[in-house]
């Protein structure tokens, strides 16, 4: 598992009700269908992979900027989860916030949970 912190920009403010509806994902896993991202199709075989987001928290910073902190299964494509990759990742953050534009400005790994034998 990896935990990421992302700086997200959206094209209009996310309503307080929508932010509150996403709070369930702090403790409730979200299973994604991720088709091989367009940006890696030239080096990876196409296919849909199930990936799990174990926790996710979206916090308003200022203006149209938000912080997304999420803990995911190894191999989850974070950028594609945020913007949806033209519908190739479902659900995506974009679909969860009513299909407005969502772009990722910064992506940092803040924790790695490795299990050794």
């Amino acid at each position: 598992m990896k935990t990421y912190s992302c700086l997200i920009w959206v094209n209009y403010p996310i309503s307080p009700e929508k932010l509150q509806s996403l709070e369930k994902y702090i403790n409730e896993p979200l299973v994604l269908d991720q088709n091989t991202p367009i940006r890696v199709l030239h080096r990876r075989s196409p296919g849909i992979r199930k990936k799990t987001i174990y926790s996710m928290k979206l916090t308003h910073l200022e203006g149209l900027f938000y912080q997304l902190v999420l803990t995911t299964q190894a191999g989850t494509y974070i950028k594609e989860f945020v913007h949806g990759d033209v519908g190739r990742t479902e659900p995506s953050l974009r679909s969860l916030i009513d299909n407005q534009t969502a772009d990722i400005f910064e992506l940092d790994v803040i924790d790695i949970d490795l299990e050794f034998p």
Side-chain angles (χ1 to χ4, degrees), residues 2-113:
K2 287 185 181 178
T3 301
Y4 299 89
S5 177
C6 313
L7 177 63
I8 305 296
W9 174 88
V10 295
N11 62 331
Y12 59 86
I14 301 168
S15 73
E17 296 80 22
K18 184 54 70 175
L19 275 176
Q20 186 176 8
S21 75
L22 295 176
E23 287 181 5
K24 68 181 177 183
Y25 297 114
I26 293 171
N27 296 312
E28 183 179 307
L30 176 64
V31 178
L32 312 177
D33 287 328
Q34 284 201 310
N35 206 331
T36 306
I38 293 170
R39 69 182 170 92
V40 298
L41 268 175
H42 66 284
R43 65 177 184 263
R44 296 256 162 80
S45 61
I48 297 175
R49 294 160 182 89
K50 292 216 176 278
K51 296 296 178 177
T52 302
I53 294 180
Y54 299 107
S55 70
M56 173 176 72
K57 181 170 177 153
L58 185 64
T59 306
H60 182 244
L61 297 174
E62 100 178 31
L64 298 175
F65 289 95
Y66 294 79
Q67 179 186 32
L68 176 66
V69 176
L70 62 164
T71 300
T72 69
Q73 178 181 359
T76 304
Y77 291 102
I78 304 305
K79 293 177 192 175
E80 285 70 18
F81 168 69
V82 170
H83 60 67
D85 200 28
V86 196
R88 298 174 66 83
T89 293
E90 281 297 326
S92 65
L93 180 65
R94 179 182 178 160
S95 69
L96 293 172
I97 58 172
D98 297 331
N99 290 312
Q100 64 175 299
T101 300
D103 282 319
I104 190 164
F105 274 51
E106 293 178 7
L107 174 62
D108 296 303
V109 176
I110 57 176
D111 189 38
I112 300 173
D113 184 9

